[in-house]
């Protein structure tokens, strides 16, 4: 009992050490669990939402649309739980300029169901539900009416031409009809699209570089009123996928098994079957056209024959009348009256030759008969010509049928192809990677500080330990006094750390996340396993340090422990051997130097602890500086143009005319911009059929006219880059990179994410969904967005553009019909504000789809999620620095109480004692800061390399001001600690120095 009382008394006396260990553990556990818990809560709530709304696991698209046969084949695939055929249509409407939207049918099989936020779901034809983004932009509300216009098909009336792109939304031929939606619409509800959780009212509204939508808005309509038997896509749910977390590898493996099966025989068979359907439909149309033409020709021929027969009968009647009259006249001149009567009673018989001669004579003598005969002959001739022409046209159609219908392609995509899903997953993964790295530094610092504190605690009780061991207490029982002390401090600190880690930090992170994404049903949850392991990790580290300190003392005999520890043998420090310097240092300076460098453990602990905390602060500020400069570097340094204008292909000429007529452009470059995909090539033809895999990136494909390849360097800074170490990259000379016809230039952001370098082979997908394997000629410096530059000739070579084969030798690229230059890069006159206003005014023009001002993008670029996490990390690092300095300062004082008492007996004033002790701590702090600044830059580079996010490359940047802030913050913490240490020095009793140690 006395042992326990003494232990409790000892614990109470060492309350400062207890608080230090508890605070370090609290901060470490909070960092270890907080960021993880915030990301995990977001992952889980999103996964629950996806399961509740039935977000598809797999989506199948086709360049020829999907038929009922395709849907039936997908239902038979092993592992498919449910298949939903979907219809959609792209429409346009007037909303401060021409805007586009996708009319999406609400499925009846429970897949991809929109989440109702306000109003009700549409049920009748003409009713729609819209997203909150549309409500915000349009100013409309529930009950408002809207009229839309379906976008025209990309090609016209060819009976056999397959016109749809990769999304299968355009019109196809055959027995299937393309989807058609009502055009007079009424808004009845506001919904959240489960495929895109971006918050239109939050920070994501400013991050347009993350936008992946092909249309401005999505309207959800019921099946009522939707016509067409051709499906835009098929969405699938996979058996067992709902039981897995959509962000885990196990989910990806489950889905991959099904996509592999579809990519196997099902995809190949249905591609062939669908093309054969189109061929059969084309042949049937040709046969039907021939039969219909034959029927029409037969009817026309019958009409002509009937008219000719009537004409001949009329002529024959005249011939008969003339022949009878001639016979009667002859009888009157030379015969008797009886003979004349007999001649008048009968028609004379004429041979065929005479009759035909008389017909021709009669027709020739009558203008009316002549005209009638000519009309009959002309009608017969025209009919014969039409027959020949129609037959020739049908034969040509038959010959061209197979070549006019291209090979049908299927694209099998998983959730990674959804821009909203991949952006959310990338954001959370990147933040979680920071949460996995920083606790390591906290743990190392915690172990170092615990070792320092517990070693001093054990050393202070040296004689008491010898007494207990001499009285027969076991070394384990004696060591338990300190082990339980450290364990209790860790448990209390860890418990408080769990509260902060699973409640405080996640709540902070989720507030920021909800400013970027809408996450219905979000709630904070506790992870017993991870929380327990988090505390256990720090408990093991601190107890290991305590055990080491106990073993170092208790391996001695009780007699040795009862005697005071022999003072360390005197030795010279290196500075003493430099006589010119040493001789010029004052007495107190020499004492300070000896105290610093003779006690190596204190030197290492203090410098190491301060360096670690300073490095954490620098690391956080480095990430902040890197993110803050992204917009400036991209839109003012890399992009040399001031304005990018994009239009529909049909409006390209009108757009260029509009911009030219405004007189604001000083120089420009016409290009073609398409949304595409870049993936690591499998070494084949690049048509693996699976888009949106983990090895792919969404890109902006920029085709440049052949005659203006050299002008690209005036609009975009072309600098070749090579991968560097620790977040750095080697950047070549500006202007040393040229676009040619031997390959594509890939943006650094996409190349870094995929591990692509110059000479690599990649799979490139253009805006029509056509894929090809391309060679990467160079990697260009690029931080935001993923641009891929390609020449007009190489584009034609990759995507088999028939009209573009000879563009290199054409008269001019402007006259070429190979590509439509639907975009313009332009330099403008005027200030940044006027350029921004001009871009906004252009968007109101009906010929302009999008106008982007680089000045506006540079000023408005924000990445609030990363900034919030950095602020959190810097705050925690500052708290750790304060605790570390407090622990080291108190340990330093406790080790030197007799020394301080002696100084007071010798006549030192309190202020002089303060200066004597604090000067050592300040010197050690400065040494730690000097070591921590470059260390922070090193760690910052390593962490930014781990931040692999779509369309972003983090070019590490640490501003001089950040180094100053980190150094000043650490020194300020050191000065703050002095305010706590000075009263302790004042309370030291000088009489204690006169007491005998014995």
């Amino acid at each position: 009992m006395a042992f326990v009382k003494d232990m409790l008394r000892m614990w109470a006396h060492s309350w400062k050490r207890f608080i230090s260990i508890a605070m370090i553990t609290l901060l470490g556990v909070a960092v270890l669990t907080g960021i993880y818990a915030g990301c995990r809560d977001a992952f889980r709530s999103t996964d629950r939402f996806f399961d509740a709304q039935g977000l598809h696991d797999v989506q199948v698209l086709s360049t020829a649309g999907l038929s009922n046969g395709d849907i039936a084949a997908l239902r038979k695939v092993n592992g498919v739980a449910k298949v939903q055929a979907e219809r959609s249509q792209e429409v346009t409407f007037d909303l401060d300029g021409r805007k586009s939207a996708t009319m999406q049918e609400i499925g009846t099989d429970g897949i991809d169901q929109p989440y109702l936020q306000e109003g009700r779901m549409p049920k009748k034809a003409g009713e729609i539900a819209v997203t909150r983004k549309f409500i915000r932009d349009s100013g409309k509300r529930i009950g408002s009416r809207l009229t839309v216009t379906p976008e025209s098909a990309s090609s016209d009336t060819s009976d056999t031409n397959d016109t749809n792109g990769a999304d299968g939304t355009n019109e196809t031929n055959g027995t299937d009809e393309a989807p058609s939606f009502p055009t007079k619409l009424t808004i009845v509800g506001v919904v959240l699209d489960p495929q895109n959780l971006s918050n239109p009212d939050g920070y994501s509204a400013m991050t347009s570089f993350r936008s992946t939508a092909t249309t401005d808005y999505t309207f959800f309509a019921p099946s009522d009123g939707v016509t067409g038997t051709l499906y835009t896509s098929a969405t699938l749910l996979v058996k067992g996928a709902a039981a897995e977390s959509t962000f885990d590898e196990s989910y990806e493996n489950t889905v991959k098994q099904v996509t592999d099966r579809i990519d196997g025989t099902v995809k190949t068979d249905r591609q062939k079957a669908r093309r054969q359907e189109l061929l059969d439909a084309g042949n049937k149309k040709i046969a039907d056209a021939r039969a219909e033409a034959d029927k029409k020709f037969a009817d026309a021929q019958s009409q002509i024959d009937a008219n000719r027969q009537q004409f001949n009968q009329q002529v024959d009647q005249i011939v008969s009348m003339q022949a009878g009259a001639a016979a009667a006249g002859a009888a009157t001149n030379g015969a008797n009256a009886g003979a004349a009567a007999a001649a008048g009673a009968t028609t004379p018989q004429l041979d065929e030759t005479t009759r035909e001669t008389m017909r021709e004579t009669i027709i020739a003598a009558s203008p009316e008969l002549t005209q009638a005969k000519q009309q009959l002959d002309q009608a017969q001739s025209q009919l014969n010509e039409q027959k020949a022409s129609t037959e020739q046209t049908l034969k040509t159609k038959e010959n061209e049928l197979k070549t006019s219908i291209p090979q049908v392609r299927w694209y099998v995509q998983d959730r990674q192809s959804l821009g909203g899903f991949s952006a959310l997953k990338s954001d959370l993964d990147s933040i979680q990677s920071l949460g996995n790295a920083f606790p390591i530094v906290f743990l190392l610092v915690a172990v170092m500080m615990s070792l320092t504190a517990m070693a001093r605690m054990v050393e202070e009780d040296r004689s008491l330990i010898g007494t207990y061991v001499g009285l027969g207490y076991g070394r384990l029982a004696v060591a338990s006094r300190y082990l339980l002390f450290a364990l209790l401090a860790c448990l209390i600190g860890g418990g408080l750390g769990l509260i902060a880690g699973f409640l405080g930090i996640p709540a902070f992170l989720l507030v920021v996340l909800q400013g970027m994404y809408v996450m219905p049903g979000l709630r904070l949850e506790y992870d017993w396993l991870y929380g327990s392991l988090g505390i256990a990790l720090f408990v093991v580290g601190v107890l290991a340090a305590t055990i080491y300190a106990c073993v170092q003392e208790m391996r001695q005999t009780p007699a040795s422990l009862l005697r005071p520890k022999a003072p360390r043998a005197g030795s010279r420090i290196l500075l003493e051997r430099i006589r010119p310097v040493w001789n010029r240092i004052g007495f107190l300076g020499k004492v300070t130097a000896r105290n610093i460098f003779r006690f190596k453990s204190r030197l290492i602990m203090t410098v190491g602890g301060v360096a670690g905390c300073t490095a954490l602060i620098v690391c956080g500020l480095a990430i902040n500086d890197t993110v803050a400069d992204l917009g400036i570097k991209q839109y003012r340094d890399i992009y040399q143009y001031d304005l990018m204008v994009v239009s529909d292909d049909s409006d390209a000429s009108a757009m260029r005319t509009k911009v030219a007529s405004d007189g604001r452009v000083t120089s420009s470059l016409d290009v073609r911009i398409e949304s595409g995909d870049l993936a690591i090539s499998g070494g084949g033809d690049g048509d693996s059929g699976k888009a949106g895999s983990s090895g792919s990136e969404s890109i902006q494909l920029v085709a440049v006219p052949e005659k203006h390849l050299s002008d690209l360097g005036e609009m975009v800074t072309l600098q070749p880059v090579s991968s560097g170490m620790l977040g750095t990259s080697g950047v070549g000379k500006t202007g040393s990179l040229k676009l040619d016809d031997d390959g594509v230039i890939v943006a650094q952001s996409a190349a870094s994410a995929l591990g692509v370098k110059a000479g690599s082979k990649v799979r490139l997908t253009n805006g029509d969904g056509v894929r090809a394997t391309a060679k990467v000629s160079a990697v260009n410096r690029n931080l935001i967005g993923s641009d891929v530059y390609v020449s007009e000739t190489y584009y034609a070579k990759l995507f088999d553009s028939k009209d573009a084969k000879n563009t290199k030798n054409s008269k001019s690229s402007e006259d070429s019909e190979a590509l439509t230059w639907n975009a313009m890069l332009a330099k403008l006159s005027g200030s940044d504000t006027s350029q921004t206003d001009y871009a906004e005014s252009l968007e109101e023009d009906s010929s302009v789809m999008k106008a982007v001002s680089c000045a506006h993008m540079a000023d408005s670029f924000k990445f609030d999620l990363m900034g919030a996490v950095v602020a959190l990390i810097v705050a925690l690092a500052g708290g750790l620095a304060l605790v570390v300095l407090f622990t080291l300062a108190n340990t330093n004082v406790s080790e030197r109480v007799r020394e301080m008492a002696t100084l007071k007996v010798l006549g030192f004033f309190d202020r002089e004692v303060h200066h004597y002790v604090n000067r050592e701590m300040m010197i050690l702090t400065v040494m730690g800061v000097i070591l921590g600044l470059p260390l922070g830059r090193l760690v910052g580079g390593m962490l930014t390399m781990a931040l692999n996010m779509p369309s972003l490359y983090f070019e590490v940047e640490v501003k001089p001001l950040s180094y100053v802030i980190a150094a000043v913050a650490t020194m300020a913490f050191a000065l703050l600690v002095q305010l706590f240490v000075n009263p302790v020095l004042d309370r030291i009793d000088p009489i204690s120095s006169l007491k005998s140690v014995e």
Side-chain angles (χ1 to χ4, degrees), residues 193-506:
D193 185 356
Q195 299 186 30
N196 185 6
L197 302 182
S198 298
N199 186 354
D201 300 319
Y203 314 123
S204 61
M206 299 299 297
T207 55
S208 58
F209 72 98
R210 302 295 293 276
S211 176
T212 57
T214 56
T215 56
D216 297 313
Y217 308 101
T218 301
F219 299 157
F220 296 91
S223 298
D224 186 19
V226 181
T227 61
T229 57
L230 190 70
Y231 302 110
T232 305
S233 63
T235 52
L236 290 70
L237 294 181
V238 176
K239 293 179 180 178
E244 306 289 344
S245 173
T246 185
F247 301 98
D248 290 346
E249 186 176 354
S250 58
Y251 167 82
E252 296 178 2
N253 294 334
T254 301
V255 174
K256 187 176 185 300
Q257 294 176 3
V258 174
T259 57
D260 289 344
R261 295 189 187 108
I262 297 175
D263 280 331
T265 58
V266 176
K267 171 185 169 182
T268 304
D269 293 345
R270 290 310 306 172
Q271 286 180 160
K272 294 179 180 179
R274 180 59 181 156
R275 186 170 188 269
Q276 189 60 46
E277 289 177 3
L278 296 175
L279 290 173
D280 293 342
N283 287 324
K284 184 177 183 302
K285 284 190 174 184
I286 293 175
D288 292 343
R290 178 179 279 111
E292 184 179 357
D294 290 344
K295 183 178 182 301
K296 290 181 179 180
F297 291 149
D299 293 341
Q301 187 65 57
S302 298
Q303 184 65 34
I304 294 174
D305 292 344
N307 293 337
R308 190 176 293 279
Q309 182 179 4
Q310 183 180 359
F311 175 81
N312 289 336
Q313 289 176 354
Q314 183 179 358
V315 173
D316 288 344
Q317 185 178 2
I318 296 173
V319 168
S320 299
M321 292 174 62
Q322 289 183 356
T332 302
N333 294 331
N336 55 34
T346 60
T347 301
Q349 298 295 322
L350 300 176
D351 60 74
E352 187 63 29
T353 302
T354 303
R355 183 177 292 277
E356 184 63 30
T357 301
M358 292 183 67
R359 285 195 188 105
E360 293 177 356
T361 301
I362 292 170
I363 294 172
S366 173
E368 292 81 3
L369 293 178
T370 300
Q371 182 179 3
K373 185 176 184 300
Q374 289 177 350
Q375 290 177 348
L376 288 172
D377 292 342
Q378 184 179 3
Q380 185 64 55
S381 175
Q382 290 177 351
L383 180 60
N384 293 336
E385 290 178 0
Q386 289 179 0
K387 283 183 178 180
S389 176
T390 301
E391 184 61 28
Q392 181 62 37
T393 300
L394 292 175
K395 287 184 177 180
T396 302
K397 290 291 185 182
E398 288 177 340
N399 296 332
E400 293 178 351
L401 181 60
K402 290 186 178 181
T403 57
S404 64
I405 297 181
Q407 296 294 330
V408 176
R409 301 191 182 198
W410 269 27
Y411 298 112
V412 184
Q413 303 175 339
D414 55 23
R415 290 182 181 177
Q416 294 290 340
S417 64
L418 300 177
F421 175 88
S422 60
L424 172 62
K425 184 176 186 297
S426 176
D427 284 347
L428 294 178
D429 284 342
S430 298
I431 300 307
Q432 198 167 38
S433 66
L434 292 179
N436 294 335
F438 276 96
I440 297 175
V441 180
F442 277 78
L443 178 62
L444 292 176
V445 173
V447 171
M448 292 173 59
M449 294 303 101
S450 300
L451 180 60
T452 300
M454 297 309 299
R456 179 55 191 166
M457 186 176 180
V458 173
E459 186 177 342
E460 287 179 353
D461 290 346
R462 173 186 176 88
S463 59
L464 184 60
I465 292 173
T467 302
Y468 278 125
V469 174
L471 292 175
Y473 286 89
R475 283 180 166 79
L476 181 59
V478 177
S480 65
R481 292 159 48 94
Y482 310 100
L483 294 175
L484 291 175
F485 177 85
L487 176 62
L488 185 60
C490 285
L491 292 178
I492 293 177
L496 296 175
L498 291 180
I499 295 175
F502 283 98
L503 292 179
I505 295 178

Side-chain angles (χ1 to χ4, degrees), residues 16-88:
K16 293 180 182 178
R17 293 190 181 96
F18 187 91
I19 292 177
S20 297
I21 296 175
M23 287 297 299
I24 292 176
T25 306
L26 185 155
L27 293 173
V29 172
V31 172
L32 178 64
T33 60
I35 297 178
Y36 158 82
C39 294
R40 186 211 54 172
D41 291 341
F43 278 139
R44 288 190 175 183
S45 64
T46 306
D47 182 61
R48 288 192 300 267
F49 176 74
F50 286 158
D51 291 341
Q53 303 308 123
L55 182 66
H56 67 262
D57 298 313
V58 180
Q59 184 181 46
V60 178
L61 304 172
S62 172
T63 56
L66 297 172
S67 64
N68 289 323
D70 296 329
I71 303 301
L74 289 172
R75 287 195 173 101
K76 296 178 182 178
V77 176
N78 184 27
V80 173
K82 188 182 294 185
V83 178
Q84 177 175 284
E86 296 185 347
R87 293 176 291 185
S88 64

